[in-house]
Amino acid sequence: MSCQTLFTSRWSTSSFGATADTSPMELAALGEHLDHCRAAPGGLSVLQYCGERLHGFVAARFVTTLFIVTLLMGGCLLAL
C-alpha cells in the first residue's frame, strides 16, 4: 500500500520575503487605540490594578503569606 502526501505551505506574509515592518498608518492606529484604552476610566480597571499589585506582593512573599494565613485561620478556629 503506497500513500503519497504533498505538503505545501498554506500561509503567506505580506512582507514578500523582506523584513516585516510596521507602516506609519499602523503605528498611528495603534497609538489611537492605546490612547482610547487609557482614557476609559472604569471601576474594574482600578480593581484589576489593585489585584495585580496584591498578586505581585503575595507572589514575592509566598511562604510568609502562607504562614500568616495559617496563623489567622488557626486564631479564628481557636476563637470559636
Side-chain angles (χ1 to χ4, degrees):
M1 189 182 234
S2 175
C3 181
Q4 283 187 328
T5 307
L6 297 176
F7 293 103
T8 60
S9 177
R10 302 220 185 263
W11 58 272
S12 64
T13 63
S14 61
S15 63
F16 300 113
T19 59
D21 199 13
T22 54
S23 69
M25 188 171 68
E26 291 171 335
L27 290 175
L30 178 62
E32 288 176 16
H33 175 78
L34 291 175
D35 289 340
H36 177 73
C37 289
R38 282 188 205 115
L44 291 179
S45 64
V46 172
L47 184 63
Q48 180 182 3
Y49 173 76
C50 291
E52 288 174 358
R53 295 284 300 204
L54 181 65
H55 179 267
F57 180 80
V58 170
R61 296 155 184 88
F62 185 71
V63 174
T64 305
T65 304
L66 284 178
F67 180 72
I68 291 172
V69 168
T70 304
L71 283 178
L72 288 174
M73 289 175 66
C76 288
L77 288 174
L78 288 175
L80 293 175

